[in-house]
């Protein structure tokens, strides 16, 4: 049984509630869970991510996949939204990713510049905006300020704000790395404190303990870790990221543990579209079977 | 067979298409037709409209009726939207009525002042805005300018604009009156020319011919009249208003003829909620039976 | 037993809820009822209103009376707020009256100009703003637009908006007058439709029926009338005005019937301060005895 | 006998006085003293601070604790305020913390970025805003400019400004460290000089004298030190911070000496909520016993 | 057979479609292909580029050449547009290049500052604007933000946005260099993700493989490489740059392969005007012969 809070208990304004209701109750399984399809890797990693399934470089293919697969939303950058969303406008919710960068320069001072505004998202009929926050880098001052302006606009327009909370930087690397329980837990909380309505995190690895704070430096199961991360996010709904492509069983386990912990859903990109079309749909149907067991109470 | 244009053929920007898709294909019969519930009579006529069914003065009752009845949207003023829509946010589309007035002063120079903005509509998660345009009054200059500002904002935010196109004023009274074929036809075209995405008109009365232009001054069936009005509206989707409460058969006839003509749907308020709850739902189900016969091709 | 909705059921944003909570639960009887002291008669009627109790012309005297009498708020214009509220800042909630006018010119086209802004209210630490809306005059277009701007600012700053809803103008005079059940009922609804958080009305007179709409043109008790007015106001909390000075028993009756109907409270000015100090306090204590019987459930 | 200045002697504008009056005289002991609950550690230190009392990671628990414990205010970041304050809006004053950062990157150049604005605070019904100023770092130019903009907004909206005045940076470390009498005294004065209405400082340690200015390089009792710090703050009301969890007796001593010195109150977080619920309340009641002895004259 | 998408399939707003229609169907071969003449080398490289054909330093000569050669547009900086475009205004489409820089300082952190605005382009009757984006430099944050503002203006004014997508910086140099298949492919995609309507790239060199991502580290023909780049650009029309002057056959081969891949056209500057006038026209006629074989279907 999920302990996930209901939409009515999150302190949401009318517009944010209306849009999240659409995402969570009028798409996908319509049961309060969510399965998002992120597709900003063309910018974040470059077209190399499309090599395993070349048709995946075509945004129209991905939008069709999002519709056929019954996703709760698709997350794309402004360029693709402007040129491709019209075809599927309203059929699958749009999460306009507002910032993004290439992975070409080193990311020690990573800051993801804003490429679009909440007003663009409104204009395009989006139901949420996405923002990548690098938690822990030396650039966090600029990042927090940039996020603040996005949050203010999101608040003003009643637009749900989904924060991609990614620990980064030398200090993180020195304390267990970006996937450690410590780092993921802190990142989730940071997004909640700064006003995210949803937060996307990587699944925490409690065994990455080198130099982490003492309270994280003992044995935790991965279930205990994800439970804690969901509690840290509090009324900020939690999405677990798929990350790079991995074995199906590992991904499904991650999904189950996340939902058990009270996560709202999953945001799986490469694990979905870096395979042949019917393989994608089959894998999605397995994810949906899991989500179906965690309806909102 | 409806000749109604499909959503993809209307020249809509992405946001307007997304929002109209939600209204027309994700609510109500999900077949491209629409049944709207207007509930601004408390302002336009005063609470006297609620006397026949006293519970109808409670906006929460009306919102529940809109949800139970499977309406495609509810049209209300800002005050009710702010205080009542949260409870049903996302469950039924909100059409924020942006202007409105009381019927206390005489309406020879009727102009409906703007009480809310498109930005309010965005903030509240509305899927469309409504504007009452009085066609033909001496105040039409101010009215057109006011509409222009609303249209600009609607365009900027990708928000569909529904125009309540009402012929009014002494000149209209002198030429067949506000329900004449001449007046309704002209009003529908005026809304289309000025940028409405949908237009709400009263059903035209071709027999009201006193002093109308010669081209309207001959025998027309009501079907011929409503056919012409839909053609005048062109790519502006047409909604037929219920008007004051009348006999059910008359209303259903009006509905059938409108849909035959290629209207997109109906906007019936008093005919719906000025009766006991189950009577309301029964009447709505008869309207839905009609709409079900006119799916978008 | 009051059927008055609780503060948590009104669809209020955080700031409006915080400020209304302060007014209704941290001042006066702290039971969810309200007794306000309006003191804008120096502008609205001129100093003639102070003749019966000359010290009442001194704003400091009135503020002290508001504090001693345990009022939930005092409503004054910007000039008095700037010069007198500092002394009692925080001790009694300030309702900054944003518009006001003299009664010198005829009021057939009455429109009350804005003399201060919501930002002034924020700056002075006010807990609400007041706006006089003349319902039904030929100037209602300008009035509605002016109110819209105030409402927008109030919404942006989380400031509760109290509307003095006053029927006025020739059309009202021709249909039962400004105190008719018809007029008061319509005025209360208009304030609710346009976004008031509280509405101040005069007590309705169901016997004033000349030319009113047929649904008002029959026998109603005054209790039936005030019940209907509270229902028309819906989630907009209702305050009953004292109006000109009248007999104590009549005033107390009016108060009891209003509270029975589900009103939130009373806003009595001249009936309070147009008498000697201890007489004022004694009368206030009788009003408080009534309010004490209607705690929020 | 406290020498603390009365609210009327602080040169406050009306709005600031109204809000401080509410904090100091309508909450807590209502005697002019203050006990604040800071809860921004989830951002400043990460969820590790919640490990000792896991329920403390739930902001709703903390808000309930603030209400039950009779605190004069709770200091939280925008994200928690947006989602959790509604439930307790008006019941306990909100101090919106406007800036904040993680402790992941090194803090040699610490600057706490602004995550929310004074206008957010107004909108949410807050009674004060909080700002962390790092005194003495190489980033102090940016910090002072950032504070200036906050102060200007606070002035414009009549919002009390509480400055968390924290000495930081290599130069501070080289001159006695961040808790030295020298550093705390300078920090308190800096906040006063730059326009704080209240300043939060750590308790000064007069024994930390390495390389401090000669005037601080002699024996002082801790009472003498805190006396001097309060004098340095002058008409800026002083709050003493609890800091990390320590023994109860040490904390109570610190509290007594601070209040003897003329401090306005205490701001204790981890010492309060890093223990079991009833232990928290018991400790709070001991703090309140102390504060009760220092009413404003 | 070109797989190039038709203008109607690109998700374009009305204004962008109107202007691109003029460029692609009312100039040049009027068959949907494009041949642009870039002439910003005077700024980017300095007058040294004019040495081989001295008359090429005269903008009037170049504009005449563009007209005589039947180009689809000429790309120039604001200074030349202001002074020279008048003579040919409307005869050849103007692509106003909005940013540009000298090549004097090193370009490790290259960022091309904005020298003109989209509003300038509108004022001058331009049919597109050009923006140079350096993909992969440490300055990419500032570059993306600068591009965002240009894109917003281009969207607002319905002005097609052509992005010169140039990989640059130490990280690029370390991974195959700026002409590698990897770098050109990533640059084309970045422009598409960020909202370019057209993208100008250099022809990719699949043999430049030092340290490129593994998916690029195998044998590709140049046809395979340019095919992939066009796919990565997706609905962003692709222009292949001529680059520095080279042998005619090599240039014509590049042109054929690009058009085979589905590119929309060519943007050849130095290869055109760094030779004698009739030689220029002869070479252009050979390019046109190629383009003539790839009409839009």
């Amino acid at each position: 049984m999920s302990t996930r809070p209901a939409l009515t208990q999150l302190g949401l304004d009318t517009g944010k509630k209306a849009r999240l209701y659409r995402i969570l109750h009028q798409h996908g399984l319509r049961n309060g869970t969510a399965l998002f399809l992120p597709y900003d890797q063309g910018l974040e990693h470059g077209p190399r991510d499309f090599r395993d399934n070349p048709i995946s470089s075509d945004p129209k293919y991905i939008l069709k996949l999002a519709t056929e697969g019954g996703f709760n939303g698709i997350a794309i950058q402004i360029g693709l939204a402007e040129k491709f969303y019209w075809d599927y406008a309203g059929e699958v919710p749009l999460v306009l990713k507002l910032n993004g960068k290439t992975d070409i320069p080193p990311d020690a001072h990573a800051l993801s510049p804003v490429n679009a505004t909440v007003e663009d998202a409104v204009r395009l009929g989006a139901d949420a905006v996405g923002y990548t926050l690098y938690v822990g880098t030396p650039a966090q001052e600029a990042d927090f300020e940039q996020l603040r302006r996005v949050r203010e606009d999101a608040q003003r327009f009643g637009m749900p704000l989904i924060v991609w909370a990614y620990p980064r930087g030398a200090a993180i690397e020195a304390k267990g790395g970006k996937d450690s329980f410590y780092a993921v837990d802190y990142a989730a909380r940071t997004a909640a404190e700064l006003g995210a309505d949803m937060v996307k995190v990587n699944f925490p690895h409690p065994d990455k303990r080198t130099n982490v704070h003492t309270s994280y430096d003992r044995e935790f199961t991965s279930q205990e870790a994800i439970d804690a991360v969901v509690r840290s996010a509090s009324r900020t709904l939690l999405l677990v990221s798929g990350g790079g492509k991995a074995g199906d069983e590992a991904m499904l386990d991650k999904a189950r543990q996340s939902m058990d912990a009270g996560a709202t859903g999953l945001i799986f990109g490469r694990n979905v579209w870096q395979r042949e079309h019917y393989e994608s749909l089959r894998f999605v149907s397995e994810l949906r079977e899991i989500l179906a067991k965690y309806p909102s109470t």
Side-chain angles (χ1 to χ4, degrees), chain A residues 64-163:
Chain A
K64 188 156 160 283
L65 179 60
T67 316
E68 288 182 13
F71 280 80
N72 295 74
I74 181 165
I76 48 180
Q77 289 279 337
I78 182 73
L80 305 192
E82 292 276 8
K83 295 205 163 33
F84 291 89
Y85 186 58
W86 188 92
D87 296 321
Y88 294 91
E91 296 184 45
V92 61
L94 171 63
V95 178
L96 188 67
K97 191 74 200 319
L98 300 187
N99 63 349
K101 60 170 193 57
T102 71
D103 68 353
I104 301 172
D107 69 350
H109 292 70
L111 176 67
S112 188
V114 166
N115 304 313
T117 63
V118 178
E119 195 168 325
D120 285 315
V122 169
R123 176 173 55 84
L124 293 165
D127 277 321
V129 291
Y131 180 93
T132 296
L133 178 74
Y134 292 118
V135 177
T137 79
Q140 85 174 356
E141 285 162 26
D143 214 347
F144 280 24
E145 297 223 349
Q146 190 173 256
L147 173 59
R148 183 194 77 229
R149 288 188 294 269
V150 168
R151 179 193 57 71
E152 286 170 350
D153 287 346
Q155 191 275 331
R156 184 157 64 91
F157 288 123
M159 182 66 71
L161 170 60
I162 309 180
V163 169

Side-chain angles (χ1 to χ4, degrees), chain A residues 34-41 62 65-66 71-75 164 166 200-203 239-259 263 265-275 280 283-288 290-291:
Chain A
L35 181 60
F36 288 98
L37 191 63
Y39 184 65
D40 57 349
Q41 293 85 354
I62 299 291
L65 179 60
F71 280 80
N72 295 74
I74 181 165
W164 274 230
Y166 288 161
K200 177 201 189 199
V201 294
N202 285 316
F203 197 88
L239 302 175
V240 171
S241 174
K245 187 137 179 280
D248 282 13
E249 267 321 302
M251 298 309 294
L252 297 172
D253 261 9
K254 202 194 266 196
R256 270 179 224 108
Q257 291 188 18
S258 301
M259 298 308 293
L266 310 168
I267 176 158
F268 280 24
R270 285 167 286 169
N271 279 280
V272 169
W273 48 255
Q274 279 184 345
R275 50 176 111 198
S280 294
F283 181 61
V284 165
S285 79
E286 291 197 50
L287 294 174
R288 285 168 60 98
I290 293 170
L291 296 182

Side-chain angles (χ1 to χ4, degrees), chain A residues 225-241:
Chain A
I226 187 67
D227 283 355
V229 171
V230 170
R231 278 199 309 274
S232 291
S234 196
R235 285 185 182 170
T236 298
L237 301 175
L238 193 119
L239 302 175
V240 171
S241 174

